[in-house]
Amino acid sequence: MAKYGEGDKRWIVEERPDGTNVHNWHWSETNCLEWSRTFFTNLLSNLVILNGEGNLFIKTTTLRNLDGEAYINIRKGKIIPGYEVNLTVSWEGEAKDTEGNSLMKVNGTVEIPYISDENADEDPDIRVTVEDEGPIGKRIKDAMFLKGKGLILEKVRVWVQSMAKGGPVKEELDTKKPLPQPLKQNQNQNHAPVATATAAKTAKSDSVKKEGVVEKKEGKKGRKNIVLTEKFSCRAKDLYEILMDENRWKGFTQSNARISKEVGGEFSIFDGSVTGSNLELQEAKLIVQRWRFGSWADGVQSQVKLVFEEPEPGVTVVKLTHTDVPEEDRYGNATVVENTERGWRELIFQRIRAVFGFGI
């Protein structure tokens, strides 16, 4: 035991002469604000929102400002992001008549007043302004909000995910990871039975499906499939009606929705970010829809299949199969599958549990 006033060397991390932070034991902090400005500038500049739909042409121009604080703390290799930022993006829009003549050009801003690590799993509020609030200017502004909100929030999620992975210090962390040491020949032989048993155990556990766990399976080239099973404390009929009722959809997502209840009918959800049509409907049993996100490349569509089962009264199991989800959007962002899976879990299923009290 150390004497009073003297530290016990077993618990002291001594400074190395070469200044190396061994295993990132010491607390280190990296300011990420300037990196974030560059990151958002690349994500949000010259982003096409509308290119002739409804004779409207809208795009973002540049990141006007990013204020606040953003940093990455690392302690013993653990990444701890922290940020409270607000940003403003400039945009421009033009309305034309049916003959292609310009009716009006406007400029405006998109403001996100608060992006915080405390609310990393929630989409922040967005405000859209326009310099000319006349009838045409307001029409362009409304279109910017309706079509641009989802796309801009998707870019914000890319930044949030990048911060969670280490932001500008990720590459440094990767280079510091120790490389696996090759085993000697006799070591390989000694551990072969253990490796075989471990592989068998892993294969066995992987074969058992767990509720709420997503499986990303290979689909067409450049596409992925998402399979998800969720359980709710309600009747299958109740859950089916919530997913097919636009007013209830507006309630639990806090976004605009328009949903047809007829086969062949169309729907638009999340303020128009997702559109599609009903392919097959069986009340309380089955929903099959064609889904498309506005940020996907032209012509790319996916299919959603929701199967409702009621193993016992008051308990519903819904099995989701979302096929042909593209790995990248039209802008080259490779987070489409992750964002789609996250949206199903956090923005749809978890919200339904929270708002309607269907949690188990």
Side-chain angles (χ1 to χ4, degrees):
M1 180 179 292
K3 296 180 182 180
Y4 181 79
E6 297 180 2
D8 189 334
K9 291 187 177 182
R10 293 174 297 175
W11 300 98
I12 296 176
V13 182
E14 296 182 354
E15 294 291 338
R16 285 173 52 115
D18 58 7
T20 302
N21 186 1
V22 182
H23 300 306
N24 290 298
W25 180 279
H26 300 286
W27 185 282
S28 65
E29 181 172 299
T30 301
N31 189 328
C32 302
L33 191 60
E34 199 57 43
W35 171 85
S36 297
R37 286 195 180 100
T38 302
F39 197 94
F40 273 121
T41 297
N42 293 333
L43 283 177
L44 297 173
S45 296
N46 298 313
L47 200 59
V48 176
I49 308 300
L50 284 175
N51 190 26
E53 296 90 334
N55 294 322
L56 296 179
F57 299 80
I58 303 174
K59 71 172 185 176
T60 63
T61 53
T62 186
L63 178 73
R64 178 176 291 188
N65 68 272
L66 177 72
D67 296 320
E69 59 179 3
Y71 51 84
I72 296 290
N73 288 320
I74 298 179
R75 176 73 166 93
K76 293 189 70 175
K78 183 179 180 181
I79 298 171
I80 309 171
Y83 48 86
E84 286 188 8
V85 298
N86 63 83
L87 64 83
T88 303
V89 177
S90 298
W91 64 273
E92 62 184 23
E94 181 180 12
K96 295 184 178 181
D97 60 21
T98 55
E99 297 180 356
N101 299 314
S102 179
L103 298 176
M104 173 177 283
K105 293 182 179 181
V106 298
N107 293 297
T109 61
V110 175
E111 299 177 16
I112 305 182
Y114 189 67
I115 307 173
S116 169
D117 60 278
E118 294 181 354
N119 308 105
D121 58 341
E122 301 176 7
D123 287 332
D125 293 331
I126 282 187
R127 303 170 186 168
V128 177
T129 65
V130 66
E131 293 178 358
D132 190 323
E133 283 281 5
I136 298 179
K138 187 177 185 305
R139 178 182 165 222
I140 301 175
K141 171 189 170 184
D142 292 344
M144 174 63 191
F145 182 83
L146 183 65
K147 298 295 185 179
K149 179 181 177 182
L151 190 55
I152 290 173
L153 288 179
E154 183 178 323
K155 304 303 180 185
V156 173
R157 293 187 206 110
V158 172
W159 176 80
V160 169
Q161 292 168 0
S162 183
M163 286 288 289
K165 294 176 182 178
V169 300
K170 181 179 184 300
E171 292 184 3
E172 178 184 349
L173 290 174
D174 290 341
T175 58
K176 288 184 178 181
K177 288 182 180 178
L179 296 174
Q181 297 296 322
L183 293 174
K184 297 180 180 178
Q185 185 175 0
N186 62 340
Q187 288 178 312
N188 281 330
Q189 294 173 349
N190 293 338
H191 291 286
V194 177
T196 303
T198 302
K201 183 177 180 182
T202 302
K204 182 178 179 181
S205 63
D206 287 345
S207 66
V208 181
K209 290 185 179 180
K210 297 181 181 179
E211 291 177 355
V213 176
V214 176
E215 302 174 27
K216 297 181 182 67
K217 299 181 178 180
E218 292 293 337
K220 299 177 183 177
K221 187 175 181 180
R223 309 284 184 91
K224 295 286 186 179
N225 299 339
I226 298 172
V227 179
L228 173 63
T229 300
E230 296 282 341
K231 186 182 287 187
F232 297 84
S233 179
C234 66
R235 301 299 299 267
K237 183 175 181 292
D238 297 331
L239 187 58
Y240 177 93
E241 289 179 350
I242 287 172
L243 291 169
M244 293 302 298
D245 183 85
E246 63 184 44
N247 289 324
R248 297 185 191 185
W249 190 282
K250 291 176 184 177
F252 76 81
T253 65
Q254 294 296 296
S255 64
N256 291 322
R258 178 177 52 80
I259 302 173
S260 169
K261 298 182 180 181
E262 304 295 329
V263 174
E266 298 182 344
F267 67 86
S268 172
I269 54 179
F270 290 114
D271 294 324
S273 297
V274 178
T275 57
S277 58
N278 300 322
L279 301 178
E280 188 176 352
L281 299 173
Q282 296 179 29
E283 186 175 1
K285 293 183 179 181
L286 178 68
I287 297 174
V288 182
Q289 297 174 323
R290 196 175 305 282
W291 273 48
R292 170 178 166 74
F293 288 72
S295 58
W296 293 358
D298 293 341
V300 175
Q301 296 189 2
S302 64
Q303 181 171 298
V304 165
K305 181 178 181 180
L306 293 161
V307 178
F308 301 83
E309 297 178 355
E310 202 167 323
E312 58 183 283
V315 175
T316 295
V317 175
V318 59
K319 296 180 179 179
L320 162 74
T321 305
H322 195 161
T323 59
D324 293 337
V325 178
E327 294 185 85
E328 293 186 354
D329 63 13
R330 70 170 75 212
Y331 308 103
N333 297 311
T335 57
V336 175
V337 178
E338 289 76 7
N339 288 341
T340 303
E341 174 259 313
R342 172 178 173 268
W344 275 110
R345 284 193 301 152
E346 299 181 10
L347 302 182
I348 298 178
F349 293 138
Q350 289 182 17
R351 293 272 181 93
I352 289 176
R353 290 192 183 96
V355 172
F356 297 100
F358 290 166
I360 292 182

